[in-house]
Amino acid sequence: ETGVTQTPRHLVMGMTNKKSLKCEQHLGHNAMYWYKQSAKKPLELMFVYSLEERVENNSVPSRFSPECPNSSHLFLHLHTLQPEDSALYLCASSQVAGADEQFFGPGTRLTVL
Amino acid sequence: SQQGEEDPQALSIQEGENATMNCSYKTSINNLQWYRQNSGRGLVHLILIRSNEREKHSGRLRVTLDTSKKSSSLLITASRAADTASYFCATGGGSNYKLTFGKGTLLTVNP
């Protein structure tokens, strides 16, 4: 589909669990993003990484912890989530941060029980 | 906020007809982009129009931008059932790293 892959595609977790979402881009891009997409709401930007450095944290609760070990990989570590955190989590990449076109992965559908 | 807002929220047409979706935004922009999303999947970039451009074409897509009215339109000509998806406009980019998305238009093309 695109050069951005996400695993897992579906995740169900309890509020006390700890899990991680993984994103990998095969496009040689320098910037990566996490977005949250909830029903009936616009896509919300969560984090932006440029050359493995976080450049944007869009007032995201600390129960979401991003990690970017290199420019090809991005993780979102989850702990003590709430049911309202259930959503589709989308990863994207672009040539440079703030570049015109972003390439999206297929998303992880997260359900918090 | 630069948030784009699409109109209509939902659109249902017959195959072969044209589909027009509109986007309005509130502040100055560097560019405006349109993305498509099939149900529960990732977004796919369709077309980008810069603030100094008025119209752009890509295949069956035609995008217009009116910066004086802070609005854009996406026209899909000769629609196909496979065009059924949600369509989002996004504004911004540039130095603030952000693309700000609207809530989208759900397009249904009936065979």
Side-chain angles (χ1 to χ4, degrees):
Chain A
E1 190 176 31
T2 69
V4 181
T5 58
Q6 290 186 242
T7 55
R9 295 293 305 275
H10 300 272
L11 178 62
V12 179
M13 58 187 289
M15 289 190 285
T16 58
N17 291 159
K18 289 184 180 181
K19 296 287 184 183
S20 295
L21 310 185
K22 179 183 176 182
C23 175
E24 184 173 0
Q25 57 97 2
H26 313 274
L27 301 169
H29 289 166
N30 292 319
M32 296 187 77
Y33 311 77
W34 279 117
Y35 286 90
K36 176 184 179 183
Q37 186 177 34
S38 305
K40 309 297 184 185
K41 287 185 176 181
L43 210 63
E44 300 171 57
L45 178 66
M46 299 175 73
F47 301 104
V48 180
Y49 276 83
S50 175
L51 296 171
E52 301 133 52
E53 178 184 346
R54 191 190 311 179
V55 295
E56 184 87 24
N57 177 348
N58 206 27
S59 302
V60 180
S62 59
R63 58 185 183 270
F64 295 92
S65 175
E67 178 190 1
C68 187
N70 56 63
S71 59
S72 299
H73 294 85
L74 185 65
F75 295 88
L76 188 61
H77 303 299
L78 316 171
H79 63 97
T80 325
L81 294 192
Q82 305 296 312
E84 59 265 29
D85 297 322
S86 298
L88 182 68
Y89 288 84
L90 293 163
C91 174
S93 71
S94 62
Q95 188 64 50
V96 296
D100 297 331
E101 180 180 358
Q102 294 185 10
F103 294 76
F104 283 79
T108 294
R109 172 67 64 186
L110 174 67
T111 302
V112 182
L113 301 176
Chain B
S1 167
Q2 291 182 325
Q3 183 177 26
E5 293 195 8
E6 294 87 349
D7 168 60
Q9 290 186 339
L11 179 61
S12 181
I13 59 174
Q14 295 299 123
E15 214 166 20
E17 294 180 340
N18 296 340
T20 300
M21 289 159 271
N22 302 296
C23 172
S24 60
Y25 57 92
K26 295 178 181 175
T27 62
S28 298
I29 60 172
N30 295 327
N31 64 66
L32 187 143
Q33 304 176 45
W34 285 91
Y35 286 80
R36 164 199 168 123
Q37 183 180 34
N38 288 83
S39 179
R41 308 295 293 276
L43 279 71
V44 176
H45 183 266
L46 294 177
I47 197 166
L48 179 152
I49 187 165
R50 300 197 183 279
S51 58
N52 61 352
E53 297 176 304
R54 291 297 168 258
E55 187 171 314
K56 203 162 185 180
H57 297 255
S58 176
R60 293 184 295 113
L61 306 179
R62 172 177 168 252
V63 169
T64 62
L65 179 65
D66 187 335
T67 52
S68 66
K69 295 181 179 178
K70 293 186 168 57
S71 68
S72 173
S73 67
L74 171 67
L75 168 68
I76 304 175
T77 60
S79 63
R80 305 166 182 167
D83 294 328
T84 295
S86 290
Y87 292 82
F88 297 88
C89 68
T91 57
S95 62
N96 66 356
Y97 308 117
K98 286 185 179 182
L99 275 183
T100 305
F101 288 82
K103 293 183 181 180
T105 292
L106 176 60
L107 173 65
T108 302
V109 182
N110 301 300

